[in-house]
Amino acid sequence: MAPARTEPDLSYLLDHTSHVLRTRMAAALAEIDLTPRMHCVLVHALEEERTQIQLAEIGDMDKTTMVSTVDALEKAGLAERRPSSKDRRARIIAVTEEGARLAERSQEIVDGVHREALADLAPDEREVFLRLMNRLATGALGTPAESPQGARRARQRSGG
């Protein structure tokens, strides 16, 4: 006999809604030939001069994924690797003018997907929900636990 559940299945709720949001985001961005990872790199590279390693950390990407994402951005003429203006030994990801235009459009798409995801909530509920999710993301659920089994983090497949 299965043990009686005394709490809602938070793991399922967070995992399922996160998966659905990722699939919707990927589908929406695919309409402009971008992946969520490409969008992430473009937007964060536009904020300030950042290296590939810094962008990989922000986007939670491993080195191989980051390299293939930047390769795809370069091939599409949206970004390029350049020497840093602050440290000539470092290389940054610089967004081209076309990349900046597409990043603006992709941010509109991302914002729309987020609005749709929260549409079932009243405006005051959205505000509370987002404030509480931010509190969890920076507090109790802000840092992964060390695990001898090395729990794998779910990653969304992308074409980049």
Side-chain angles (χ1 to χ4, degrees):
M1 290 192 55
R5 187 177 301 279
T6 59
E7 297 290 331
D9 191 345
L10 181 61
S11 295
Y12 166 77
L13 294 170
L14 291 173
D15 188 53
H16 176 74
T17 54
S18 177
H19 171 72
V20 170
L21 183 60
R22 284 190 314 270
T23 61
R24 289 180 181 180
M25 191 70 65
L29 289 170
E31 292 181 16
I32 61 169
D33 295 323
L34 278 188
T35 66
R37 290 181 177 135
M38 292 166 82
H39 164 77
C40 179
V41 170
L42 289 174
V43 168
H44 291 291
L46 282 167
E47 290 173 341
E48 65 182 68
E49 190 173 283
R50 289 190 164 120
T51 66
Q52 201 165 280
I53 292 170
Q54 291 169 321
L55 291 167
E57 288 173 6
I58 290 168
D60 193 31
M61 291 180 248
D62 59 43
K63 184 179 179 180
T64 302
T65 302
M66 183 63 190
V67 167
S68 64
T69 300
V70 175
D71 287 348
L73 289 169
E74 281 190 317
K75 185 177 179 182
L78 303 174
E80 58 190 26
R81 293 168 174 98
R82 288 187 193 156
S84 168
S85 65
K86 299 173 186 170
D87 178 357
R88 289 289 179 193
R89 296 168 295 171
R91 298 191 46 85
I92 61 151
I93 306 306
V95 178
T96 64
E97 286 183 31
E98 182 181 347
R101 282 192 296 277
L102 196 59
E104 188 172 325
R105 175 69 185 117
S106 67
Q107 188 61 57
E108 292 169 0
I109 290 169
V110 166
D111 291 345
V113 171
H114 289 164
R115 274 191 304 278
E116 289 173 14
L118 299 175
D120 287 340
L121 302 177
D124 60 326
E125 291 175 319
R126 281 181 226 144
E127 184 181 321
V128 170
F129 174 76
L130 292 171
R131 188 173 67 246
L132 294 175
M133 287 299 292
N134 271 306
R135 188 182 309 161
L136 287 174
T138 58
L141 297 177
T143 306
E146 294 296 323
S147 171
Q149 287 83 21
R152 291 192 50 156
R153 182 172 184 160
R155 295 200 185 263
Q156 180 65 31
R157 280 188 158 173
S158 68

